[in-house]
């Protein structure tokens, strides 16, 4: 296994860690606040507790972020709202791509790496289509 394939393997592990961080962030944020970003950062802990129960995205309501909402938030430049989703979506794609490259360059069976890269390309095209789609309605 060459040095470059080890580098791609390390990048795949880091991408997997980003995926796990995004997933855990989403789970904890939705359980605690019902919203991926949580309460506004300028609130004190007591105000944040009140916000959690009074805000429409707080507990007891179904606050899911649709693709259209995610596109709108990204267009507004409000990354704080979508960091967990971006880590999850980007981490999955990067893991597939870097793992495919590591297998392609470091294995005696490059077809497995080519298949991994093909899956990463299909995933990237699907995310691009969904994120680039016009909102209907």
């Amino acid at each position: 296994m060459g040095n470059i394939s080890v580098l791609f393997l390390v990048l795949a592990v880091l991408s997997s860690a980003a995926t796990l961080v995004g997933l855990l962030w989403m789970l904890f944020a939705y359980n605690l606040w019902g919203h991926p970003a949580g309460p506004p950062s300028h609130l004190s802990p007591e105000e944040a507790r009140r916000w959690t129960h009074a805000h429409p995205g707080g507990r007891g309501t179904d606050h899911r972020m649709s693709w259209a909402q995610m596109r709108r938030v990204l267009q507004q430049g409000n990354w704080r709202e979508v960091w967990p989703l971006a880590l999850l979506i980007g981490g999955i794609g990067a893991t597939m791509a870097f793992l495919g490259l590591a297998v392609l360059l470091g294995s005696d069976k490059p077809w497995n790496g080519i298949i991994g890269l093909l899956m990463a390309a299909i995933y990237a095209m699907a995310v691009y289509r969904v994120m680039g789609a016009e909102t209907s309605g």
Side-chain angles (χ1 to χ4, degrees), residues 31-54:
N31 277 337
L32 291 174
W33 302 298
H35 193 270
S41 58
H42 66 277
L43 297 179
S44 70
E46 183 59 37
E47 291 170 330
R49 240 185 316 278
R50 277 185 267 147
W51 180 90
T52 300
H53 295 290

Side-chain angles (χ1 to χ4, degrees), residues 1 5-6 24 32-33 43 63 70 72 78-79 92 97 103 110 113 118-119 127 136:
M1 188 179 257
S5 60
V6 171
L24 291 175
L32 291 174
W33 302 298
L43 297 179
H63 186 287
M70 189 172 174
R72 189 188 73 242
N78 192 0
W79 280 88
I92 290 171
V103 171
L118 181 63
M119 289 173 51
V127 169
S136 60

Side-chain angles (χ1 to χ4, degrees), residues 15-111:
S15 301
S16 297
T19 303
L20 185 60
V21 166
L23 178 66
L24 291 175
W25 188 346
M26 281 178 41
L27 288 174
F28 287 129
Y30 277 113
N31 277 337
L32 291 174
W33 302 298
H35 193 270
S41 58
H42 66 277
L43 297 179
S44 70
E46 183 59 37
E47 291 170 330
R49 240 185 316 278
R50 277 185 267 147
W51 180 90
T52 300
H53 295 290
H55 190 269
R59 279 192 197 146
T61 62
D62 187 23
H63 186 287
R64 295 186 178 127
M65 186 172 278
S66 68
W67 288 109
Q69 290 169 324
M70 189 172 174
R71 280 192 302 273
R72 189 188 73 242
V73 168
L74 285 172
Q75 287 170 350
Q76 294 171 351
N78 192 0
W79 280 88
R80 184 177 183 270
E81 294 282 326
V82 293
W83 268 119
L85 297 169
L87 282 172
L88 186 65
I89 293 168
I92 290 171
T95 299
M96 285 193 292
F98 289 136
L99 197 55
L101 284 169
V103 171
L104 177 67
L105 298 174
S107 174
D108 57 346
K109 297 185 182 193
W111 288 106

Side-chain angles (χ1 to χ4, degrees), residues 106-136:
S107 174
D108 57 346
K109 297 185 182 193
W111 288 106
N112 294 332
I114 292 171
I115 291 170
L117 288 174
L118 181 63
M119 289 173 51
I122 291 169
Y123 176 81
M125 287 185 340
V127 169
Y128 180 77
R129 283 184 72 197
V130 168
M131 291 303 293
E134 292 296 321
T135 57
S136 60

